[in-house]
Amino acid sequence: MQPQPVQAFSPAERNAVYHAIFTRRDVRSQFTPRPVDEDVLLRLLTAAHHAPSVGFMQPWNFIVIRSDDVKAEIHDAFERANAEAAAMFSADRQPLYSALKLQGIREAPVNICITCDRTRGGQVVLGRTHNRDMDLYSTVCAAQNLWLAARAEGIGVGWVSIFHDSDLRRILNLPDPVVPVAYLCLGHVDALYSEPELQVKGWQDRLDLGDLVFQDRWPDALAQDLTQDDDRP
């Protein structure tokens, strides 16, 4: 099979892609109880499965969770880890942290855990010979594909990351070579924040793109500042 000619997207198609990117949100409390249709879920999983992967290793699996009992176990694991996380922040940040809703595990009709099988492709994988973690990076691309497709379908997604790895492994029966990469809550939403919720609620502002783009090399002055910060106790 030969490469096929490539045509640019039409303006409407291009705008739809950027619209999905710019209006994607991390959903915690806007889920409705309306079930996610099986055909929609299959489209989302198909989009995730078409993510780029180094060496075409496709290291992902998708655990689809609808069981209230499993969700309850996952929620309990989150609560334990979240209590520990709250104590890690400074005293002036803790009240705001505690006021934030950081998950929608029980509210979302569907939860999905995207995992990375670190044995996929064998011992030597094209493109992974010098960076062992390329399989993990590839799996994150699958999460992003699913998230953008979900936005186009009117499905909200929330990524829950505050867990002990051992808890997820135990609850989801993950074998040793399989790593949980993204625990996602999915469901229909009727409303979304116009800006990221953590920005709306005063936790963090979006950084200025102009401060994040460098030409050719990392600036010496910034490199020195980072080195000094790293040396501090």
Side-chain angles (χ1 to χ4, degrees):
M1 181 180 295
Q2 295 298 315
Q4 302 299 308
V6 173
Q7 294 182 348
F9 283 11
S10 70
E13 291 169 333
R14 182 189 64 220
N15 290 341
V17 173
Y18 285 108
H19 183 65
I21 292 170
F22 294 143
T23 61
R24 180 211 56 82
R25 294 290 174 262
D26 193 356
V27 177
R28 287 85 175 266
S29 57
Q30 294 86 42
F31 292 113
T32 72
R34 177 184 167 193
V36 177
D37 291 342
E38 288 299 319
D39 58 338
V40 174
L41 181 59
L42 181 58
R43 287 199 294 269
L44 301 185
L45 293 173
T46 301
H49 184 46
H50 281 72
S53 63
V54 170
F56 203 43
M57 69 179 81
Q58 307 161 75
W60 41 70
N61 285 88
F62 308 96
I63 302 177
V64 179
I65 301 159
R66 296 186 181 87
S67 164
D68 289 338
D69 290 341
V70 176
K71 288 181 185 177
E73 287 189 74
I74 295 290
H75 184 269
D76 289 346
F78 166 83
E79 288 291 326
R80 289 192 296 271
N82 194 46
E84 297 168 357
M88 297 178 187
F89 291 95
S90 61
D92 62 321
R93 297 283 268 175
Q94 287 181 13
L96 177 54
Y97 182 90
S98 298
L100 296 171
K101 181 172 174 56
L102 299 177
Q103 53 77 32
I105 296 166
R106 285 176 160 169
E107 297 89 339
V110 178
N111 291 188
I112 296 177
C113 185
I114 303 180
T115 62
C116 176
D117 180 352
R118 309 215 69 185
T119 66
R120 191 76 50 85
Q123 291 292 320
V124 181
V125 178
L126 187 155
R128 191 188 177 201
T129 54
H130 291 71
N131 188 336
R132 178 75 173 82
D133 292 335
M134 293 309 297
D135 56 343
L136 297 173
Y137 305 155
S138 298
T139 304
V140 172
C141 290
Q144 178 77 340
N145 264 26
L146 187 150
W147 211 332
L148 293 176
R151 179 66 190 91
E153 296 277 4
I155 303 293
V157 177
W159 187 330
V160 188
S161 60
I162 305 172
F163 296 113
H164 285 290
D165 184 84
S166 57
D167 283 337
L168 282 184
R169 289 184 170 283
R170 172 181 54 80
I171 296 168
L172 300 178
N173 195 36
L174 301 182
D176 285 342
V178 174
V179 176
V181 172
Y183 191 93
L184 306 176
C185 304
L186 282 76
H188 288 276
V189 291
D190 292 332
L192 291 172
Y193 286 101
S194 60
E195 300 291 343
E197 186 172 351
L198 291 183
Q199 181 173 338
V200 171
K201 296 188 174 178
W203 184 261
Q204 177 68 49
D205 290 331
R206 187 179 299 280
L207 300 177
D208 188 334
L209 177 62
D211 294 334
L212 307 177
V213 179
F214 308 141
Q215 296 297 326
D216 297 325
R217 293 181 176 84
W218 196 284
D220 287 341
L222 291 179
Q224 292 172 2
D225 289 343
L226 286 177
T227 301
Q228 291 171 358
D229 288 343
D230 193 50
D231 291 340
R232 293 173 187 171

